[in-house]
Amino acid sequence: MQDLIDEQLLAFAKSQEQLGRALDAESAVVRRMAALLRKVPVEDLKRVKGDPYTEAELSVAREIAGYVNALADLEEALADFVKHAIKELRVAEEE
């Protein structure tokens, strides 16, 4: 039983590591978009018809919201797994 729990923990750790890499990449994209947005001079934006600054801000906000949602999903997955692991450990202790 302990081997099964150890195997599950290793698989979970590997999947969380991969999810962490994806979140890190998404974070890099958000930081880069925000940095690019700050570099655009206001005078250049005034020459463009419409409201490109607002569109760029909305794009960055959407990316940030996606990143935060992914973090929330990660937290939920961690909580579910820890709850499952604790149940398995209690069952193993009772045996």
Side-chain angles (χ1 to χ4, degrees), residues 43-74:
E43 296 80 31
D44 290 347
L45 290 172
K46 288 179 181 176
R47 293 182 199 146
V48 179
K49 295 192 186 243
D51 200 357
Y53 200 69
T54 302
E55 290 174 19
E57 288 174 328
L58 287 174
S59 179
V60 170
R62 282 189 205 107
E63 289 293 326
I64 291 171
Y67 178 69
V68 171
N69 283 333
L71 286 176
D73 291 344
L74 173 62

Side-chain angles (χ1 to χ4, degrees), residues 3 7-9 17 19-20 34 42 48 50 53 55 58 63-64 76 84 93:
D3 290 340
E7 189 176 305
Q8 286 180 336
L9 285 171
E17 183 179 337
L19 184 55
V42 176
V48 179
Y53 200 69
E55 290 174 19
L58 287 174
E63 289 293 326
I64 291 171
E76 186 177 337
H84 178 71
E93 285 178 0

